[in-house]
Amino acid sequence: MRQIGCLVAFLVSCSLVQAEEKELPKAFVDGNGPGWRALGEEDFTDVNGDEDTWTYKDGMVFSTGKPIGVNRTIKQYTNFEFVYEWRHRKSGGNSGSFIWVPESALTDLPSNKLPAGGIEIQVLDHGYATQFKERTGKDADWFTTNGDVFAVGKSTMKPFPPLSPNGQRSFPRKNLSKGVDQWNHYYIRAINGEVRLWVNGEEVSGGNECNPKSGYICLEAEGSPIEFRNLRLRELP
């Protein structure tokens, strides 16, 4: 009887551990610890928006999404870790962040244009895919709403699989993004021309052989209201 009781206790203990492991994200990096610092209004400058496109308040960044464009960091970065949370405030919202954007892609960038350079970390609401199908009658097979990573303009990258049909985007291995009005957590690690993205605690996409592998970090306005918070960065050697 004692052996049976011990076995039952062991099995219950294993079940509790497994349940706890399922609940905990596998690699949740919150941006705290040595070397990490918060990014605020003083770390960014607008590139091609209106006066009210970007607003900073109480540690948060608010964007109207209009006109289409970006703000950028004051500094350029090479090797770093970048953490932020985001939520769309409208179904079908489109936004993102860029890393390693060259200065040439931002100089004299007109309103309603995105930079033709850098690596984009996609931030799409799930409603975007639904609206795409309603509008075109086709399934969205060339993009996802769970964290695509891809090079834009003259920049290049060798994307990690799974790939988009044209081979230019790294599609997420798991669908982990939450829907409109819910906060999502992104952790981006960019080292020696390689970028990797974790969505809500798990690595999903990325690429290597990026060119250029140094430049500005940008936040994107692309037509829909979005909020960012807890932007934190750690520079690496």
Side-chain angles (χ1 to χ4, degrees):
M1 291 296 292
R2 169 182 270 181
Q3 290 179 339
I4 294 175
C6 291
L7 177 60
V8 170
F10 174 75
L11 292 175
V12 169
S13 176
C14 289
S15 298
L16 291 174
V17 170
Q18 291 175 352
E20 184 178 359
E21 288 178 347
K22 288 181 181 179
E23 293 175 1
L24 292 174
K26 293 184 178 180
F28 193 87
V29 178
D30 61 6
N32 291 306
W36 285 94
R37 67 181 186 87
L39 296 182
E41 184 172 5
E42 67 279 4
D43 296 292
F44 288 89
T45 185
D46 183 53
V47 174
N48 59 342
D50 290 342
E51 186 176 345
D52 65 346
T53 302
W54 300 97
T55 304
Y56 298 79
K57 184 178 180 181
D58 298 330
M60 293 181 60
V61 186
F62 303 86
S63 176
T64 63
K66 299 177 181 179
I68 293 172
V70 295
N71 64 5
R72 66 162 174 82
T73 51
I74 300 296
K75 291 178 56 178
Q76 297 191 43
Y77 297 94
T78 302
N79 294 336
F80 60 90
E81 296 171 283
F82 182 35
V83 165
Y84 62 86
E85 294 177 79
W86 60 267
R87 66 176 177 183
H88 281 292
R89 304 315 309 270
K90 183 179 179 181
S91 180
N94 189 358
S95 182
S97 61
F98 293 84
I99 67 168
W100 294 331
V101 180
E103 188 164 2
S104 59
L106 298 169
T107 302
D108 299 325
L109 186 66
S111 181
N112 281 311
K113 292 288 185 180
L114 294 173
I119 307 299
E120 181 166 354
I121 315 296
Q122 185 76 75
V123 170
L124 274 181
D125 176 64
H126 298 313
Y128 192 93
T130 302
Q131 294 172 19
F132 176 85
K133 186 170 184 177
E134 291 174 349
R135 186 172 68 252
T136 66
K138 301 177 181 179
D139 289 326
D141 64 349
W142 59 274
F143 69 89
T144 84
T145 58
N146 288 276
D148 298 3
V149 177
F150 52 96
V152 299
K154 297 180 180 179
S155 294
T156 58
M157 182 188 80
K158 182 179 179 181
F160 295 150
L163 306 179
S164 59
N166 65 5
Q168 296 180 2
R169 291 183 175 220
S170 174
F171 275 0
R173 296 192 293 270
K174 296 180 73 172
N175 295 336
L176 298 172
S177 292
K178 302 173 185 178
V180 64
D181 289 328
Q182 299 183 75
W183 286 106
N184 290 275
H185 180 276
Y186 272 16
Y187 164 57
I188 300 163
R189 189 171 69 198
I191 305 174
N192 298 330
E194 178 181 277
V195 55
R196 294 177 179 267
L197 171 66
W198 280 253
V199 174
N200 293 323
E202 294 191 43
E203 184 180 354
V204 298
S205 52
N208 57 18
E209 300 181 21
C210 296
N211 184 35
K213 53 187 179 181
S214 184
Y216 295 103
I217 298 171
C218 297
L219 300 179
E220 176 185 1
E222 198 166 357
S224 185
I226 187 170
E227 297 173 356
F228 299 89
R229 71 179 183 186
N230 295 328
L231 284 78
R232 302 187 67 84
L233 182 137
R234 175 163 65 178
E235 292 189 72
L236 301 172

